[in-house]
Amino acid sequence: MSPVKKKRLYMVVLLLSAVSIATFLIIQAFNQNMMFFYSTTEVKNGTAPVDRDFRIGGLVVNGTVKRAQDSLLVSFELTDSQTPVTVEYTGILPDLFREGQGIIAKGQLNQNGVFVAKEVLAKHDENYMPPEVQDSIDKAHQHREQLVQNTQTQLEQAKIQ
C-alpha cells in the first residue's frame, strides 16, 4: 500500500471513529434526559421503570390528601379513574393543586410502590387537562365501557340458555 493510500485510510478510520463516538454520546445524552409519561394503571401493572424518573398523571382522588403536621410532606392518591397510585411529595404544592384536579408529577417509584414526586404540576385553569392525562382517562373509560358491554352480553347469553 502506498503511503498516500495509507494516509487516506487512517483519515477515513479516524473520521468514522469520531462520528461513531459523537453518535454514541448524543444517544447517551438523549436517553438520560428523556422522561416518559405513564398512567396510574400502567404504574400498577409494572410497566413503569423502577430505577429512573418518569411522569405520572391523573386526577387527585377526593379525600386522600394528607399533610404531615411537622413537615412539608403531602401524600395523596392519583387515579386515571381506574387504578389509584399513592404519591408522596415534600415541598410546597402549586396554588392550583386541589382534590379532583388533574395533575402531572415527576419522580420515581420506591420499593413500596409509592410514587415519590420531585415536582408536581397542576393544570392552568378549570377547562385545561394535560393531554397525557386526558388520554389515560379516556383509555380507562373505554376499557370500563368495554367490560360493562362484555358483562351485559354474557348475562344476556346466560338468560337465553
Side-chain angles (χ1 to χ4, degrees), residues 6-73:
K6 229 179 202 183
K7 189 177 180 182
R8 284 185 189 160
L9 180 64
Y10 287 137
M11 292 300 288
V12 168
V13 170
L14 183 66
L15 184 65
L16 287 175
S17 298
V19 169
S20 297
I21 291 171
T23 304
F24 173 76
L25 291 175
I26 289 170
I27 290 172
Q28 193 74 12
F30 188 67
N31 281 337
Q32 289 176 354
N33 293 325
M34 209 166 18
M35 187 166 298
F36 292 103
F37 176 84
Y38 292 93
S39 69
T40 56
T41 301
E42 292 171 325
V43 171
K44 280 290 185 183
N45 291 338
T47 309
V50 177
D51 57 343
R52 67 179 290 186
D53 288 355
F54 63 91
R55 293 186 306 165
I56 187 172
L59 301 173
V60 178
V61 178
N62 289 330
T64 62
V65 177
K66 296 174 184 150
R67 299 175 191 273
Q69 297 293 329
D70 56 346
S71 69
L72 293 176
L73 178 68

Side-chain angles (χ1 to χ4, degrees), residues 47-118:
T47 309
V50 177
D51 57 343
R52 67 179 290 186
D53 288 355
F54 63 91
R55 293 186 306 165
I56 187 172
L59 301 173
V60 178
V61 178
N62 289 330
T64 62
V65 177
K66 296 174 184 150
R67 299 175 191 273
Q69 297 293 329
D70 56 346
S71 69
L72 293 176
L73 178 68
V74 178
S75 75
F76 53 93
E77 289 191 5
L78 199 61
T79 185
D80 59 356
S81 72
Q82 189 174 5
T83 309
V85 170
T86 302
V87 177
E88 290 182 352
Y89 176 70
T90 302
I92 299 173
L93 290 168
D95 291 338
L96 298 174
F97 178 89
R98 61 179 178 265
E99 295 177 348
Q101 188 81 28
I103 67 156
I104 292 179
K106 296 178 182 176
Q108 205 172 61
L109 275 179
N110 67 12
Q111 292 91 6
N112 300 328
V114 174
F115 186 81
V116 180
K118 296 177 183 172

Side-chain angles (χ1 to χ4, degrees), residues 122-142:
K123 69 179 191 176
H124 300 124
D125 62 23
E126 60 191 53
N127 296 325
Y128 176 75
M129 178 72 72
E132 296 95 349
V133 173
Q134 186 64 49
D135 287 345
S136 66
I137 290 172
D138 290 343
K139 286 179 187 175
H141 283 293
Q142 288 174 353

